[in-house]
Amino acid sequence: MNSNTMRKLAFTLLVGAATQVVAAPAPVTEISGNSAQGGSLERLERMIEARNQVQLDMQRQLDQLATEMDELRGIVERNSYDLSQMLERQRELYREIDTLSRQPQAKPAEEKASEKASTEVYSGNVSENEAYESAVNLILKEKDYTGAISAFKGFLTTYPESSYKPNAHYWLGQLYFTQNQLPDAAEQFTAVASFEKSNKRADALLKLGIIAERSKKTEDAKKYYQQVISAYPNSTSSRQAQSNLDKL
């Protein structure tokens, strides 16, 4: 074998060896790529699962908060209703206190009875005036409503024919009404309603309608409201009676 042939053979062997060296790593590279891709998918799946779990936890928390909000809303609504009822009873009492405080002072004892304009003007009896004003002051000044009830009842017993009689009954009705003693209040307002010329009669009839309504006596309530509307048109009591009647 000559030298040229040997050189060719050596060159061929070197080329073959180099080709094997270059080609051999190819399978390793493919396996490594598949492994990396599988790991990425697993991490992505874990991230999705973690996100879904967080979303579920947040939804449960939101549902719980919504339930608690509904419960709180119900409590607030009940408390608001109770408060509005209490405030309305207080406003009714204060309106009457304001009305009474605006009335004129007692007339002198010697003033003639013929000068009286109605059955509710001030009496000429000083003791009677003092007794009445003392009962009123228990409300206006001392805020002693229980004492005022006793004072007005005592006044009506001592002065059964007093010109203050309708007002005394009305005050008793108001005091019982604000304390939710509805039967006692109804008795007093019925007494006021018996005085045809009393300027408290319209409101007394209105209160009787309200008491009947609260007592679930709808037909009686309608009769009282209609009586107010018929007897005292265009009055504040009439407008309130119509409003209440429309809701029945």
Side-chain angles (χ1 to χ4, degrees):
M1 181 180 297
N2 56 31
S3 60
N4 289 332
T5 301
M6 293 182 62
R7 283 197 294 271
K8 290 180 180 178
L9 179 60
F11 179 76
T12 301
L13 291 174
L14 287 172
V15 170
T19 302
Q20 290 180 356
V21 171
V22 172
V28 176
T29 303
E30 183 178 356
I31 292 172
S32 177
N34 290 336
S35 176
Q37 184 178 7
S40 298
L41 289 174
E42 290 178 358
R43 287 196 299 273
L44 181 60
E45 289 175 353
R46 287 197 296 271
M47 290 174 63
I48 292 174
E49 289 177 359
R51 185 193 64 182
N52 291 340
Q53 185 62 44
V54 170
Q55 290 178 338
L56 288 174
D57 292 340
M58 290 181 65
Q59 186 61 48
R60 281 195 293 267
Q61 292 177 3
L62 289 173
D63 292 341
Q64 183 178 357
L65 287 173
T67 301
E68 293 175 355
M69 286 296 294
D70 288 339
E71 292 175 354
L72 289 173
R73 189 179 296 109
I75 294 172
V76 170
E77 289 175 353
R78 287 194 299 271
N79 289 341
S80 297
Y81 176 78
D82 292 341
L83 180 59
S84 66
Q85 292 293 100
M86 181 184 70
L87 290 175
E88 179 58 28
R89 289 195 293 268
Q90 289 295 325
R91 279 195 293 268
E92 289 172 353
L93 180 58
Y94 290 150
R95 280 196 295 269
E96 292 308 315
I97 291 174
D98 182 65
T99 298
L100 185 61
S101 66
R102 295 172 185 272
Q103 290 182 356
Q105 296 298 315
K107 294 182 180 180
E110 65 272 11
E111 194 167 294
K112 295 181 180 179
S114 61
E115 295 179 1
K116 296 180 180 179
S118 71
T119 58
E120 293 180 356
V121 298
Y122 280 83
S123 169
N125 187 318
V126 175
S127 297
E128 181 180 338
N129 286 337
E130 291 176 349
Y132 182 78
E133 291 176 0
S134 176
V136 171
N137 285 335
L138 288 173
I139 300 174
L140 296 177
K141 296 181 179 180
E142 300 181 26
K143 314 299 181 185
D144 182 4
Y145 303 135
T146 301
I149 290 175
S150 298
F152 278 118
K153 290 173 69 174
F155 175 85
L156 289 170
T157 300
T158 305
Y159 305 100
E161 301 302 322
S162 172
S163 58
Y164 299 118
K165 189 174 182 178
N167 277 12
H169 279 297
Y170 184 82
W171 273 110
L172 280 171
Q174 284 288 76
L175 290 165
Y176 284 130
F177 186 83
T178 57
Q179 294 179 8
N180 205 35
Q181 298 180 33
L182 300 186
D184 292 331
E187 180 181 357
Q188 299 301 322
F189 287 132
T190 299
V192 177
S194 68
F195 294 90
E196 295 288 338
K197 296 182 179 180
S198 172
N199 60 11
K200 303 296 185 184
R201 187 171 185 269
D203 196 59
L205 290 171
L206 175 63
K207 289 298 194 308
L208 287 170
I210 294 173
I211 291 171
E213 184 178 348
R214 292 184 181 179
S215 301
K216 309 301 181 183
K217 299 178 181 178
T218 304
E219 292 304 317
D220 288 342
K222 289 181 179 179
K223 291 178 182 178
Y224 283 122
Y225 291 149
Q226 289 168 349
Q227 189 174 355
V228 175
I229 295 169
S230 175
Y232 305 95
N234 301 320
S235 66
T236 301
S237 297
S238 177
R239 288 191 290 271
Q240 184 61 54
Q242 185 65 62
S243 176
N244 292 358
L245 185 61
D246 292 341
K247 296 176 183 177
L248 292 179

